[in-house]
Structure formats: structure tokens, C-alpha cells
Amino acid sequence: MSPRKGSDFAGLSTAIVTPFRDGQVDEKRLAEQIDFQIDAGVTCIVPCGTTGESPTLTHEEHERVISLTIQHVAGRVKVMAGTGSNSTAEALRLTRRAAAEGADATLQVAPYYNKPTQEGMFQHFRAVAESVDIPVCVYNIPGRSAKNIEVDTIVRLAELPGITMVKEATGSLDQCTAILGATNLTVLSGDDSLTLPMMSVGAEGVISVAANLVPSVMLEMVQTAAAGDYTKAAELHHRLYSLCSKMLGLATNPIPVKAAMQMVGRDTGEMRLPMVPLDDADRATLQETLMKFGMESEIVGQLQTSGA
């Protein structure tokens, strides 16, 4: 079977958080987080996605975070820049800038809030794909964008040379299966807990939130599934599912993952309004969840360092 379009992005991509300190992007911590991911063996870094709090970044910060990521990665892994918008003109501007900076691909979220028709969706993504010479990953997340990109629309988009991937976050294994059966696109899971089921029907990896915290375990599961060892992959899936379901179920992403990273000393946990930190009860639940996962030593070390 010949490789799918976009198969060079198969594996584990991390939708990296944007670290803040005192209201500003913490560039030093961003570099540290990128190195942590690369050392773990990830395929790709994805800055300025949902997990990167792109809705609250200024235009200047958005461009700066992508530029810093590309510069610091320096070709060690791929960079898929989050440059989508509900304004086609703005998506074009951001995407052209990222391509000029050296991004390897662009992650394009479905236009949110204005809820275009399926024809509008098609025209939007076609305009982006025809404006740059880097691959486009269509990001379908109706839970945030308010409207599904229907399978028939994705089939039409798949005919465009520049559209090579779908980040599938509808929560529907049927939709994932239909896309894989009707197109030659690479499908990447957009839900950590559905990665293994999606890979079982032909998806080739994940753009992960939890990998900010546990990239090595997530990578092992993806690689084990790709090798066809679904018994071992299922063991890892159930371990990760326990973490992801409890952690990400506490509040809207990226609130809980940033809190978790703070607990193990890898982020300040700082959010921007309208995102707010976890309350004390949820923090206690999160700490217990992390300790059960096996991160007790990291939490204890951070508590000792902070004097808590």
C-alpha cells in the first residue's frame, strides 16, 4: 500500500503550550519545553494551536511564538504552525508568514464562530492551500468551531495537492473511518484518548495535548500501534486514558495540562483571561491523578523546590 499524502508527519506531534510569566510569553521556558519534547523523540512541534492559547495571543505574539519555535527547533524535528483563523484573509497572512519563516506545515482550524457553509469551508481551505507551498493539515474540531467539516467536503479538499492531512477531533470514529476510506489523506488524532482506536482503522498518529506532560509514554503507544503490537499498545492506551480522562476532564484545555506542568516544575501554570486556573479541589484531584500515574517524585521535588 502506497504512503498517504502527509505520511511524513506520522507519529507524535505535540500541540505545545505557550508559557507565560507576568503576562508575557516566557521565551526561555518555551525553548526548554521544545527541547524536552525533542529529547523525548517526538515527530513534530505544533505551536499556536488551541493548547497554545492562540485565541488570546496578540498578532505579534502569535508570529513571534511561531518564529521562535522554528528557530529553536532548527530542523531537529518538524514544525506545524497553527495559523488558522475564522477570517480567510487573516489565515492567509499568518500562513504566508509562517511559511516564509520556515514552517514545515500549517495547521488550519475550521473557521469558528461565523459558521460558514460547506462551500465556504472548501473555498477557505482552498485559498490557504493555494497561497503557500507547505502542506496543510485541516483541523476539524466542531466542539470549538461550532460546525463540522463534512466528509464530502474533506473528500473535495483531498483533491487539492496542498491539502495532505486532517487533524480529526470530531470524536467520531465513523467520520475518521469514512475519511480514511474515501481519501488518501493522512489522519492524525485530535483526541488523546481516541488515538489508539483511530490508529486501528488507519490513522497514523496524534497531535497531542498530554504529550506536553508525558511525551515518552504517548510516543511509545503510537510507535507500538504503528508496529502492529496492539496488545502492548492497548496496555499503554488504558494507562494514558486514565490520566487523560481525569486530567483533561477537569476543565477546558489547556487549563489542566498547564496546571499539571506547573506541579512537575515545567511551567508557571499562568493563564490568560478568560481562562482561569483550577480551583483548589480540582488541583487536589489533579495531583492525585498525576501521582497515580507515576509522577510522585516530580511532584515532591517541585514542592520541595518551591518550599510548599
Side-chain angles (χ1 to χ4, degrees):
M1 187 175 182
S2 60
R4 289 177 173 269
K5 293 167 65 178
S7 63
D8 51 335
F9 284 84
L12 173 60
S13 298
T14 300
I16 201 161
V17 304
T18 301
F20 299 118
R21 185 179 295 276
D22 300 326
Q24 304 298 313
V25 175
D26 187 341
E27 297 184 1
K28 180 176 182 293
R29 180 57 61 92
L30 176 61
E32 292 171 356
Q33 291 172 351
I34 290 169
D35 288 337
F36 178 76
Q37 295 296 320
I38 293 174
D39 290 345
V42 305
T43 305
C44 178
I45 304 292
V46 184
C48 297
T50 307
T51 310
E53 294 178 79
S54 57
T56 58
L57 296 176
T58 67
H59 291 171
E60 293 77 15
E61 287 173 331
H62 196 133
E63 293 174 353
R64 176 69 173 159
V65 169
I66 290 171
S67 179
L68 284 171
T69 300
I70 293 167
Q71 291 173 27
H72 192 72
V73 166
R76 291 178 289 170
V77 296
K78 296 182 183 299
V79 175
M80 183 188 300
T83 56
S85 174
N86 64 338
S87 162
T88 304
E90 176 65 10
L92 289 170
R93 187 187 68 79
L94 285 169
T95 305
R96 287 168 176 154
R97 174 67 179 268
E101 291 276 356
D104 298 290
T106 170
L107 180 67
Q108 288 288 322
V109 69
Y112 41 86
Y113 186 74
N114 44 16
K115 298 176 69 173
T117 64
Q118 293 301 307
E119 181 62 25
M121 294 275 199
F122 176 78
Q123 296 295 346
H124 171 85
F125 288 112
R126 184 174 74 170
V128 173
E130 292 179 348
S131 75
V132 292
D133 60 2
I134 59 174
V136 174
C137 180
V138 173
Y139 181 11
N140 195 14
I141 183 165
R144 288 191 187 255
S145 66
K147 197 161 187 179
N148 186 35
I149 309 171
E150 301 295 341
V151 174
D152 287 348
T153 303
I154 292 174
V155 170
R156 290 179 67 197
L157 289 169
E159 297 175 359
L160 302 174
I163 306 286
T164 69
M165 295 168 277
V166 175
K167 180 182 179 183
E168 169 52 41
T170 64
S172 170
L173 193 59
D174 282 349
Q175 176 140 339
C176 173
T177 302
I179 293 167
L180 287 162
T183 77
N184 194 35
L185 299 174
T186 290
V187 174
L188 301 172
S189 170
D191 293 300
D192 283 308
S193 61
L194 285 178
T195 300
L196 183 60
M198 288 175 65
M199 290 188 72
S200 76
V201 297
E204 296 183 53
V206 59
I207 299 178
S208 172
V209 176
N212 281 281
L213 190 65
V214 288
S216 297
V217 183
M218 185 64 70
L219 180 63
E220 184 181 5
M221 186 194 72
V222 169
Q223 290 179 333
T224 302
D229 185 354
Y230 277 89
T231 300
K232 177 63 175 176
E235 294 175 4
L236 293 162
H237 163 76
H238 287 295
R239 184 181 178 212
L240 285 162
Y241 180 81
S242 180
L243 171 70
C244 293
S245 62
K246 292 176 182 176
M247 176 176 68
L248 298 177
L250 290 171
T252 304
N253 177 48
I255 294 171
V257 74
K258 290 192 86 169
M261 292 173 71
Q262 181 187 40
M263 288 179 182
V264 299
R266 287 200 254 113
D267 195 77
T268 64
E270 189 174 325
M271 311 293 302
R272 281 183 173 173
L273 287 171
M275 295 297 194
V276 295
L278 292 178
D279 61 27
D280 290 343
D282 284 341
R283 284 185 64 85
T285 299
L286 178 58
Q287 181 170 306
E288 180 183 3
T289 299
L290 296 178
M291 293 178 80
K292 284 183 178 178
F293 188 81
M295 306 189 78
E296 182 174 1
S297 61
E298 291 94 329
I299 292 171
V300 171
Q302 177 60 17
L303 288 173
Q304 290 174 342
T305 299
S306 64

